[in-house]
Amino acid sequence: MSEVRTAIAGVGNCASSLIQGLSYYRDVDEDDGLVPGLMHNVIAGYRVRDVRPVAAFDVDVRKVGKDLSQAIFEKPNCTKKFCDVEPLDVEVMKAPPLDGVAPHMEEWFKVDDSQPPVDVAEVLKETRADVLINYLPVGSEQGARWYAERALEAGCAFVNCIPAFIASDPAWAERFAQRRLPIIGDDIKSMVGATIVHRVLTQMIVDRGANIRSTYQLNVGGNTDFLNMVDSSRLSSKRTSKTESIASQIPYDAYVYAGPNGHVACLNDNKICYLRIDFDLFGDVPASIDLKLSVEDSPNSAGVVIDAVRIAKLALDRGVGGALKSASAYFMKHPPVQMREPEARAELEQFIQQFIQE
C-alpha cells in the first residue's frame, strides 16, 4: 500500500500525542496484539507506520521553523511524553492566526505578526498531502472553514477534529462530494472519553427499559484548550456537539447538559469528568449514577485520529467523496447522522470490508 501523507493544522497537545503514537506503534503489524485505541492494527492494508506526516502549520514562534518532532514538545504543550520521536524532516510552517487565538489567550501563544504566513494550499500540493487534520482550538470557526477551503483547493481529504460544523453541514459535504474528496467530522470522540462513556451508559439504561429524567456532564482540565474555552463565546458549538451527542441516544424528552466547565491549571492535560444520570426504575422508583472519569485528554483521541486518517485515505483511493457517514458517526461527536455505537461500528466495518474484497 502507499503512504498516508498527512498534514496537520495546529501543533498542540493532540498533535503531540498523535506524532508520538506514530513512533510508538510504528512496528505494529497484523499479527501483533491489538493496539489500544485502534479499530484494527491494519485497515485495508494501511498500517500505523504508513501514516506519514508531510506538513504542519502553527502560529506560535516556539514551534514555527522547527522540525515537527521537536515542535510537539514546545510550550504551551503539556501532554505526557510517552515516546521519543526521531527527526521527521517536516518543518512547522507559519499559518495565518485567523480566529485561532482568542484575545484572552494572547499571552499564552507567542505570535510574530511580522512573520508572513505560507500559502497553505500550495504547501499541501507540493508535499502531495492526502489528508489534512484540523486540530485548531475550539471556537476557531473561521479557521476551520479556511482550512477546509485549502483542502478543497489542494485536493485533500479532511478530518475535522473540532466542533466547527463542516462535515455535518450539507452544503460543505456537497462541496467535498463534488470534488470526490472525503471528509470525516465533526469533533473527535476519544477512545474512552466523557462523551463515549456518557453515550454508552445512557444507551444501556434506555435498552434496559428504565426512564432517564435528566443527565449532565461537567468537565474541567488544565491544558490551553480548557483555558481557551473559559471564553463562553467560543463554547457554543462545543456544548451543542456534546449535548446533541448524548441526547441522540435517548428516544424521548429528557434534560441533557454536557460541556466544558472550567480551567484548573495544575491538571495540565488531564481531564476530569463528573457525570450524573437520574432515572426511574419499575414502579417509578428513582435511581441515579454518579461517575468520575480521569483521563489524559490528548492521548485519549490519538488512536481514533490514526483510524480516521486511514479511513479517509481508503476513501480517497477509491474516489469516494463527501461526508463519510459511518466513519463520522463512529469517530465524531457531531456527525451528519447520529448512530448508536454498535450500529456505527458495524457499518464502518462493512465500509472497510468492501474495499478489502475488491
Side-chain angles (χ1 to χ4, degrees):
M1 301 295 292
S2 61
E3 298 173 323
V4 187
R5 299 175 67 84
T6 305
I8 298 171
V11 186
N13 286 309
C14 288
S16 177
S17 293
L18 173 68
I19 298 302
Q20 290 184 68
L22 294 178
S23 292
Y24 194 78
Y25 292 115
R26 67 186 303 170
D27 296 324
V28 169
D29 217 324
E30 185 79 72
D31 298 329
D32 298 323
L34 183 63
V35 170
L38 298 183
M39 287 185 68
H40 304 288
N41 291 353
V42 181
I43 294 179
Y46 286 113
R47 294 160 175 79
V48 174
R49 62 176 171 268
D50 295 324
V51 180
R52 179 187 169 192
V54 296
F57 309 98
D58 204 274
V59 299
D60 196 302
V61 296
R62 292 166 290 188
K63 300 173 184 176
V64 173
K66 294 180 179 175
D67 190 85
L68 181 59
S69 62
Q70 179 183 357
I72 58 174
F73 298 118
E74 296 291 339
K75 292 182 178 179
N77 290 6
C78 62
T79 193
K80 289 186 182 298
K81 180 179 180 179
F82 58 87
C83 183
D84 291 323
V85 180
E86 296 179 357
L88 297 169
D89 196 25
V90 176
E91 179 184 340
V92 177
M93 299 185 180
K94 172 69 181 296
L98 303 169
D99 58 349
V101 181
H104 72 287
M105 296 293 295
E106 290 179 354
E107 64 181 87
W108 287 81
F109 295 104
K110 301 183 183 300
V111 181
D112 181 0
D113 292 329
S114 67
Q115 186 179 20
V118 298
D119 184 328
V120 169
E122 195 59 35
V123 171
L124 294 174
K125 293 176 186 176
E126 290 174 356
T127 58
R128 296 180 289 114
D130 298 308
V131 184
L132 173 60
I133 303 171
N134 178 24
Y135 269 145
L136 296 184
V138 170
S140 304
E141 299 286 339
Q142 178 190 4
R145 285 160 177 75
W146 189 87
Y147 275 102
E149 289 281 6
R150 305 290 82 74
L152 286 167
E153 184 179 344
C156 291
F158 193 59
V159 175
N160 182 36
C161 295
I162 77 167
F165 303 148
I166 300 177
S168 53
D169 181 331
W172 275 101
E174 178 59 25
R175 292 185 64 194
F176 276 85
Q178 289 175 355
R179 293 289 310 279
R180 301 182 72 182
L181 297 173
I183 177 170
I184 299 175
D186 302 303
D187 196 9
I188 196 71
K189 215 189 278 178
S190 292
M191 172 186 170
V192 183
T195 297
I196 187 65
V197 170
H198 203 162
R199 279 169 62 97
V200 169
L201 282 174
T202 54
Q203 286 173 18
M204 181 271 294
I205 292 170
V206 169
D207 287 346
R208 297 299 294 171
N211 184 70
I212 296 174
R213 287 181 281 108
S214 63
T215 182
Y216 63 80
Q217 177 197 131
L218 308 177
N219 303 312
V220 295
N223 59 30
T224 50
D225 213 33
F226 272 93
L227 183 58
N228 165 60
M229 291 185 289
V230 168
D231 180 352
S232 60
S233 68
R234 301 181 72 86
L235 267 180
S236 176
S237 61
K238 184 68 172 178
R239 284 187 173 144
T240 297
S241 175
K242 290 176 73 67
T243 300
E244 287 186 2
S245 183
I246 308 306
S248 69
Q249 306 305 296
I250 306 172
Y252 45 77
D253 290 337
Y255 176 82
V256 179
Y257 173 89
N261 300 93
H263 176 257
V264 182
C266 66
L267 291 177
N268 289 319
D269 196 38
N270 187 239
K271 174 180 177 178
I272 306 294
C273 165
Y274 297 96
L275 186 157
R276 182 178 175 91
I277 308 175
D278 289 293
F279 53 99
D280 293 327
L281 301 172
F282 184 74
D284 290 330
V285 175
S288 64
I289 293 175
D290 280 289
L291 178 146
K292 175 186 175 183
L293 174 69
S294 175
V295 294
E296 190 77 2
D297 205 19
S298 300
N300 204 13
S301 67
V304 181
V305 175
I306 291 173
D307 280 344
V309 165
R310 292 186 291 175
I311 295 294
K313 170 61 171 169
L314 186 61
L316 186 69
D317 290 343
R318 272 68 176 188
V320 178
L324 304 185
K325 293 183 179 179
S326 60
S328 296
Y330 189 63
F331 296 135
M332 301 288 173
K333 299 185 186 76
H334 196 272
V337 179
Q338 290 283 2
M339 301 180 190
R340 292 165 64 87
E341 301 305 320
E343 177 190 359
R345 174 75 183 229
E347 290 200 13
L348 183 53
E349 293 285 14
Q350 289 176 4
F351 180 84
I352 296 169
Q353 285 300 318
Q354 69 177 322
F355 298 124
I356 293 177
Q357 294 167 0
E358 288 182 352

